[in-house]
Amino acid sequence: MYKPNTVQFELTEGCDRQCSFCATCGFERKAKFISPKTLKKQAQLVQDSGYAPRVALVGHGEPTLHPEFFKCVKLMRKIMPDLHFQMMTNGYLIKKDLHNIAKIFDAGVNDIILDEYSDNKFDADKIQAILDDYSAT
């Protein structure tokens, strides 16, 4: 029987950017967010499935735009404690405060894939210093 290796959760439909290469640029501009009730139900279905897929927080939007992003991740982590969480982000929340990287890991994300655009550069040395401090604790 086929066992999925990845399950995608879409916390947000919508994005703060309008990249010409992205399919979401044709979406309605107002973001839509998953409800805690729906998220809880979906996470429980994955947990009860008996599979151990990677959980990808990605989709047709920027996950960190969700007004309760950290609560969502913590809820998912509580329901699916042993799964590997990976998030793809354009850095919206991280750009606001680089220390949000540590907060994202603390919420339960294992891997962060950070997209970088010509108009949205990150200081790699500052990020590394935050990660070094984080791993030292």
Side-chain angles (χ1 to χ4, degrees), residues 99-110 127-137:
H99 289 90
N100 280 327
I101 292 174
K103 292 177 185 175
I104 292 168
F105 286 132
D106 284 342
V109 173
N110 300 96
I127 290 175
Q128 189 60 55
I130 290 167
L131 294 175
D132 289 345
D133 285 344
Y134 179 77
S135 62
T137 58

Side-chain angles (χ1 to χ4, degrees), residues 16-17 62 64 87-97 113-117 120 122:
D16 58 311
R17 300 185 59 86
E62 169 55 38
T64 64
M87 182 182 79
M88 184 176 286
T89 177
N90 67 23
Y92 168 79
L93 190 64
I94 295 166
K95 203 63 166 165
K96 287 175 130 184
D97 179 358
I113 300 169
L114 184 59
D115 282 339
E116 189 171 63
Y117 304 91
N120 190 35
F122 293 92

Side-chain angles (χ1 to χ4, degrees), residues 49-127:
S49 72
Y51 299 125
R54 174 182 57 158
V55 174
L57 302 176
V58 65
H60 295 106
E62 169 55 38
T64 64
L65 285 176
H66 195 294
E68 296 189 7
F69 170 75
F70 291 110
K71 285 183 181 179
C72 288
V73 175
K74 288 176 183 178
L75 172 66
M76 294 170 67
R77 177 53 74 198
K78 183 178 178 182
I79 295 169
M80 302 177 291
D82 299 323
L83 300 186
H84 189 90
F85 285 40
Q86 184 177 66
M87 182 182 79
M88 184 176 286
T89 177
N90 67 23
Y92 168 79
L93 190 64
I94 295 166
K95 203 63 166 165
K96 287 175 130 184
D97 179 358
L98 288 178
H99 289 90
N100 280 327
I101 292 174
K103 292 177 185 175
I104 292 168
F105 286 132
D106 284 342
V109 173
N110 300 96
D111 297 325
I112 299 171
I113 300 169
L114 184 59
D115 282 339
E116 189 171 63
Y117 304 91
S118 60
D119 66 338
N120 190 35
K121 295 286 185 184
F122 293 92
D123 185 325
D125 292 334
K126 287 182 182 178
I127 290 175

